[in-house]
């Protein structure tokens, strides 16, 4: 039986966090043998925010090595760099002619990120606005059925579905309309000190964030200082509104242990917050030590990393061509008489 396709992407725009791992990468690894998985390091998305030119390429290799260290099997999944497959940008232009200004303007990520531009609306780059169309192109090029993502990307995926539906209703069934795959718990890991906002690699306060390659003592210190609450006696229960700190810690533990929140609540009944933190510290340090050990070995193997990327991009290009060719046809663009070559 042929496997359905799963696709997802990650930006090489900074050091990856525990949020990236629990919300996304962990799912990528989990489904890698059940789906035909295609994973993309989205460097073109990353440049919608200012990037250091000497760091960007290096960071793409860092991300690849990290993904492998987390357990992705490069002989089984396709992994590549977005800018190595020009069809993503080509489809993005075409789909932008089938997307509406109004729907892009409503994207919360655009609204959040554009406020970083010191409220000067003249300085907001158009790439940031068009970002979700490139993301739709990433997904739709490969006839993707499933997109494993964290909660913050759900709105973008809904837009991708809408664009696919709109295009299909005009031209027939050109694109598979994808579903998202968001973990029940851990789809939005929050900041350690401000558990009402998402854990993000670009957080100004680094004490809010655990990085996958962070020094273990520093990780332990951050977890020890994480916010709980002042209930007396302490109650370890999941309640995002009234107990955001404890709920976040439970989500982290659930994400790392794969034990459901309900079972965790039962096992921590009557226990103290410090016992919950200690359990998380034990698990996080175990996972990160293992991951970091693999990472530092793999990261040195640059030839091997480049080989994976070139294999991945070659496969991706040939698959992407099939969809792009159909799109050119139905729109009515003239192909050259030597076939579908650009
Ligand atoms: P990015 O690079 O911001 O994040 C990569 C993945 O990590 C998830 N994530 C989180 N999950 C839980 N808690 C958190 N605190 C947390 N922080 C990040 C994100 O939801 C994401 O799944 N636009 C995407 C990249 C992209 C993409 C795609 C994804 C480009 N094209 C096509 C899927 C399909 C992004 O910026 O992810």
């Amino acid at each position: 039986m042929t496997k359905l396709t799963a696709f997802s992407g990650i930006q090489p725009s900074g050091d990856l966090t525990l949020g990236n791992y629990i919300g996304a990468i962990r799912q990528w690894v989990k489904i890698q043998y059940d789906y035909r998985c295609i994973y993309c390091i989205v460097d073109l998305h990353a440049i919608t925010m200012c990037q250091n030119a000497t760091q960007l390429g290096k960071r793409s290799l860092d991300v690849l090595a990290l993904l492998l260290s987390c357990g992705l099997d490069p002989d089984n999944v396709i992994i590549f760099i977005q800018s190595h497959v020009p069809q993503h940008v080509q489809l993005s232009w075409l789909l932008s002619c089938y997307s509406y200004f109004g729907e892009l303007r409503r994207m919360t990520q655009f609204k959040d990120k554009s406020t970083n531009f010191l409220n000067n609306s003249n300085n907001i780059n158009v790439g940031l606005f068009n970002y979700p169309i490139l993301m739709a192109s990433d997904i739709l090029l490969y006839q993707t059925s499933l997109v494993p993502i964290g909660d913050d990307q759900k709105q973008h995926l809904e837009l991708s579905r809408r664009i696919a539906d709109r295009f299909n209703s005009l031209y027939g069934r050109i694109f598979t309309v994808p579903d998202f795959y968001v973990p029940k718990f851990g789809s939005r890991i929050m900041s350690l000190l401000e558990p009402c906002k998402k854990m993000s690699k670009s957080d100004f306060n680094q004490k809010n964030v655990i990085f996958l390659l962070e020094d273990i003592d520093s990780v332990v210190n951050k977890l020890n200082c994480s916010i709980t609450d002042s209930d007396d006696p302490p109650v370890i229960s999941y309640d995002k509104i009234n107990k955001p700190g404890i709920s976040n810690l439970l989500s982290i533990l659930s994400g790392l242990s794969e034990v459901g929140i309900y079972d965790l609540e039962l096992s921590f009944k009557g226990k103290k917050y410090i016992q919950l933190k200690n359990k998380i510290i034990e698990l996080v340090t175990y996972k990160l030590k293992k991951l970091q050990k693999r990472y530092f070995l793999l990261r040195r193997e640059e030839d091997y990393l480049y080989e994976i990327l070139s294999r991945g991009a070659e496969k991706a290009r040939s698959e992407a061509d099939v969809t792009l060719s159909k799109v050119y046809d139905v729109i009515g663009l003239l192909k050259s008489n030597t076939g579908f070559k650009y």
Side-chain angles (χ1 to χ4, degrees), residues 7-13 16-25 28 40 42 45 82 88 109 113 131 134-136 138-139 147-154 156-157 160 183 186-191 197-201:
F7 180 98
S8 200
I10 192 159
Q11 295 192 56
S13 54
L16 300 192
T17 70
L18 194 64
N20 291 125
Y21 177 76
I22 294 178
I25 302 170
W28 297 14
C40 183
V42 293
H45 277 110
Q82 190 181 32
H88 289 237
Q109 190 167 303
K113 287 195 174 170
Y131 182 111
L134 180 58
M135 184 163 158
D138 297 340
I139 297 166
V147 185
I149 40 174
D151 182 73
D152 62 330
Q153 298 300 318
K154 264 164 87 176
H156 287 161
L157 190 77
S160 304
S187 68
R188 181 177 282 264
I189 298 299
M190 309 304 269
S191 303
K197 71 175 199 195
K198 194 188 77 166
M199 182 183 284
S200 161
K201 54 189 155 200

Side-chain angles (χ1 to χ4, degrees), residues 14-299:
D15 297 327
L16 300 192
T17 70
L18 194 64
N20 291 125
Y21 177 76
I22 294 178
I25 302 170
R26 167 177 71 111
Q27 323 299 321
W28 297 14
V29 175
K30 211 189 286 177
I31 63 170
Q32 66 179 329
Y33 298 108
D34 300 329
Y35 286 80
R36 197 179 65 98
C37 292
I38 307 179
Y39 297 131
C40 183
I41 298 168
V42 293
D43 52 353
L44 298 174
H45 277 110
I47 62 167
T48 55
M49 302 301 273
C50 187
Q51 299 296 331
N52 175 332
T54 54
Q55 290 294 310
L56 183 59
K58 180 191 151 298
R59 283 196 184 282
S60 290
L61 289 178
D62 295 346
V63 170
L64 172 63
L66 251 179
L67 293 177
L68 301 180
S69 315
C70 291
L72 282 187
D73 173 358
D75 294 325
N76 184 57
V77 302
I78 298 176
I79 312 182
F80 66 97
I81 308 274
Q82 190 181 32
S83 62
H84 294 182
V85 182
Q87 289 86 343
H88 289 237
V89 179
Q90 289 173 295
L91 184 62
S92 182
W93 170 256
L94 300 174
L95 293 185
S96 72
C97 300
Y98 297 83
S99 308
Y100 302 141
F101 186 83
E103 59 193 358
L104 289 169
R105 201 175 41 187
R106 282 196 293 276
M107 294 293 111
T108 48
Q109 190 167 303
F110 171 70
K111 289 193 223 162
D112 290 349
K113 287 195 174 170
S114 52
T115 52
N116 290 343
F117 284 77
L118 300 173
N119 289 331
N120 183 351
S121 57
N122 292 328
N123 285 353
I124 299 168
N125 72 69
V126 179
L128 198 59
F129 189 69
N130 288 340
Y131 182 111
I133 306 179
L134 180 58
M135 184 163 158
S137 308
D138 297 340
I139 297 166
L140 300 181
L141 267 179
Y142 301 98
Q143 305 299 337
T144 301
S145 297
L146 196 76
V147 185
I149 40 174
D151 182 73
D152 62 330
Q153 298 300 318
K154 264 164 87 176
Q155 195 188 28
H156 287 161
L157 190 77
E158 271 149 18
L159 179 63
S160 304
R161 288 171 56 87
R162 214 173 317 130
I163 295 172
D165 273 332
R166 186 175 301 145
F167 199 88
N168 285 351
S169 68
L170 286 170
Y171 298 114
R173 201 189 157 290
I174 303 298
F175 298 123
T176 301
V177 181
D179 281 321
F180 50 72
Y181 174 44
V182 174
K184 188 152 178 242
F185 294 105
S187 68
R188 181 177 282 264
I189 298 299
M190 309 304 269
S191 303
L192 296 178
L193 298 180
E194 298 162 82
C196 294
K197 71 175 199 195
K198 194 188 77 166
M199 182 183 284
S200 161
K201 54 189 155 200
S202 54
D203 199 312
F204 183 66
N205 183 357
Q206 302 259 301
K207 291 190 175 149
N208 271 327
V209 190
I210 291 177
F211 296 99
L212 296 179
L213 295 178
E214 188 166 345
D215 170 72
I216 299 295
D217 288 343
S218 158
V219 170
V220 171
N221 193 26
K222 285 181 183 177
L223 283 168
N224 271 325
C225 296
S226 62
I227 291 287
T228 51
D229 63 29
S230 49
D231 282 2
D232 192 18
V235 180
I236 298 181
S237 66
Y238 189 84
D239 175 348
K240 274 205 281 196
I241 308 288
N242 299 309
K243 297 170 81 71
I246 292 297
S247 302
N248 192 36
L249 292 176
L250 281 169
S251 297
I252 293 176
L253 186 54
S254 172
L256 292 174
S257 62
E258 302 285 350
V259 176
I261 296 275
Y262 179 68
D263 289 334
L264 289 177
E265 283 175 332
L266 278 182
S267 67
F268 280 97
K269 204 164 175 198
K271 295 201 173 145
K272 301 203 169 80
Y273 293 155
I274 187 70
Q275 290 171 289
L276 174 63
K277 282 190 177 180
N278 283 343
K279 185 73 199 159
I280 296 173
I281 288 171
E282 184 192 317
L283 210 57
V284 171
T285 53
Y286 170 74
K287 295 252 177 200
L288 292 193
K289 273 185 189 164
K290 212 162 100 183
L291 187 154
Q292 291 179 5
K293 194 169 161 207
R294 279 200 231 133
Y295 172 83
F296 289 111
L297 286 174
L298 267 168
R299 186 60 186 85

Side-chain angles (χ1 to χ4, degrees), residues 58 61-62 298-307:
K58 180 191 151 298
L61 289 178
D62 295 346
L298 267 168
R299 186 60 186 85
R300 278 184 279 174
E301 306 287 329
E302 290 216 343
D303 288 348
Y304 174 61
L305 298 177
Y306 276 111
E307 188 211 307

